[in-house]
């Protein structure tokens, strides 16, 4: 079946630095990638939707200059958290959308900013 | 906008059946999903149902859909301690092109 590989699984970074999270679709082409954020004991909050080769569409309240999304190919999408601060600490999950396989989720990245 | 509601907690004894309920508001919802999330992990797709179906069974899992009432349920037969997790209901008008709308999740606790 469809698999999305998300890396890293966890990362600890210093405040003010940037962190890149990668999501790769391994055996299919992800025409659409969704990025979510999940706070402890809460549901998934959609951050943005990206289609290959075009700019991401951000949800209201999500800073596009802080959460940079790149979807340069049909198999790779990246989320970069720029100038990270402790309040950016969270669980980030990507989901590849495809009309054949539906939604395939990555395993998530736990970001801790110290 | 679309909204998906779930009860937050459910506690059952091992061996009993669990029923997790979900309601949604978007009448154009075509695809309805159930995901399982264990602590610190990503989401695992359990099952899904199309809006033109009333029921779907997959081993211990049974999904019932009442489209008129916009009510979805997930029944887990012979619940085991390994079933303890958070279960998310999610819906989308089509598959893969639009983002899923998630409920807040139901935390299932299985008592041995």
């Amino acid at each position: 079946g469809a698999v999305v590989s998300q890396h890293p699984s966890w990362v600890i970074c210093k405040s003010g630095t940037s962190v890149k999270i990668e999501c790769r679709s391994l055996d299919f082409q992800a025409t659409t990638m969704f990025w979510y954020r999940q706070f402890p004991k809460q549901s998934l909050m959609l951050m943005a939707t990206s289609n290959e080769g075009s700019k991401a569409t951000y949800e209201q309240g999500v800073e596009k200059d802080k959460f940079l999304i790149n979807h340069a190919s049909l198999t790779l999408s990246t989320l970069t958290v720029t100038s990270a601060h402790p309040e950016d600490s969270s669980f980030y999950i990507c989901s590849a959308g495809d009309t054949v396989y539906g939604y395939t989720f990555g395993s998530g990245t736990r970001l801790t900013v110290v | 906008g679309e909204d998906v509601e779930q009860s937050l907690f459910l506690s059952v004894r091992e061996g009993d059946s669990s029923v997790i309920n979900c309601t949604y508001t978007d009448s154009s919802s075509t695809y309805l999903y159930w995901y399982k999330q264990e602590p610190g992990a990503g989401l695992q797709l359990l099952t899904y149902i199309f809006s033109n179906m009333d029921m779907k069974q997959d081993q211990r899992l049974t999904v019932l859909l009442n489209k008129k009432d916009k009510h979805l349920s997930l029944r887990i037969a012979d619940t085991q301690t390994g079933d303890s997790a958070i279960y998310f209901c999610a819906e989308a008008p089509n598959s893969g092109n639009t983002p899923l709308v998630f409920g807040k999740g139901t935390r299932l606790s299985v008592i041995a």
Side-chain angles (χ1 to χ4, degrees):
Chain A
V3 174
V4 170
S5 175
Q6 182 171 349
H7 292 282
S9 300
W10 59 270
V11 57
I12 302 173
C13 71
K14 289 185 177 180
S15 189
T17 61
S18 295
V19 173
K20 181 184 283 188
I21 301 169
E22 286 190 354
C23 274
R24 293 181 183 273
S25 56
L26 297 186
D27 47 8
F28 69 103
Q29 294 181 329
T31 51
T32 308
M33 192 71 80
F34 306 99
W35 286 93
Y36 294 87
R37 182 175 182 175
Q38 186 180 31
F39 291 104
K41 298 184 178 180
Q42 293 191 25
S43 187
L44 280 73
M45 182 190 78
L46 179 68
M47 299 175 67
T49 300
S50 73
N51 291 294
E52 182 264 339
S54 56
K55 290 184 180 180
T57 301
Y58 289 81
E59 295 299 298
Q60 192 173 6
V62 178
E63 299 175 59
K64 62 179 181 181
D65 293 330
K66 180 167 188 60
F67 299 101
L68 301 178
I69 291 172
N70 185 286
H71 195 166
S73 77
L74 285 170
T75 57
L76 174 64
S77 179
T78 61
L79 166 67
T80 302
V81 183
T82 62
S83 186
H85 287 93
E87 57 265 31
D88 298 324
S89 298
S90 191
F91 193 57
Y92 294 87
I93 307 176
C94 64
S95 171
D98 174 77
T99 54
V100 174
Y101 296 106
Y103 303 89
T104 306
F105 283 83
S107 54
T109 298
R110 183 162 304 284
L111 170 64
T112 303
V113 185
V114 297
Chain B
E2 307 106 352
D3 194 21
V4 177
E5 297 285 340
Q6 298 177 241
S7 52
L8 296 181
F9 301 99
L10 177 65
S11 182
V12 300
R13 291 197 178 276
E14 190 175 20
D16 288 350
S17 292
S18 307
V19 178
I20 302 171
N21 293 300
C22 171
T23 58
Y24 59 97
T25 58
D26 188 358
S27 57
S28 66
S29 295
T30 304
Y31 298 81
L32 296 140
Y33 301 83
W34 284 103
Y35 288 89
K36 176 183 180 183
Q37 185 179 36
E38 298 187 43
L43 271 68
Q44 173 194 353
L45 176 64
L46 288 178
T47 187
Y48 62 92
I49 191 169
F50 298 121
S51 60
N52 61 356
M53 299 166 65
D54 298 324
M55 184 183 87
K56 182 178 180 182
Q57 185 160 1
D58 183 3
Q59 299 182 336
R60 292 192 296 125
L61 305 178
T62 303
V63 179
L64 294 179
L65 175 61
N66 182 326
K67 193 175 178 182
K68 174 176 171 288
D69 294 339
K70 299 191 182 72
H71 181 268
L72 183 73
S73 68
L74 173 69
R75 178 176 181 269
I76 305 172
D78 186 25
T79 312
Q80 302 297 307
T81 54
D83 295 323
S84 294
I86 299 176
Y87 291 81
F88 290 97
C89 170
E91 62 88 15
N94 50 58
S95 179
N97 293 332
T98 54
L100 287 167
V101 177
F102 285 89
K104 287 183 167 51
T106 300
R107 184 177 296 274
L108 174 64
S109 297
V110 182
I111 305 164

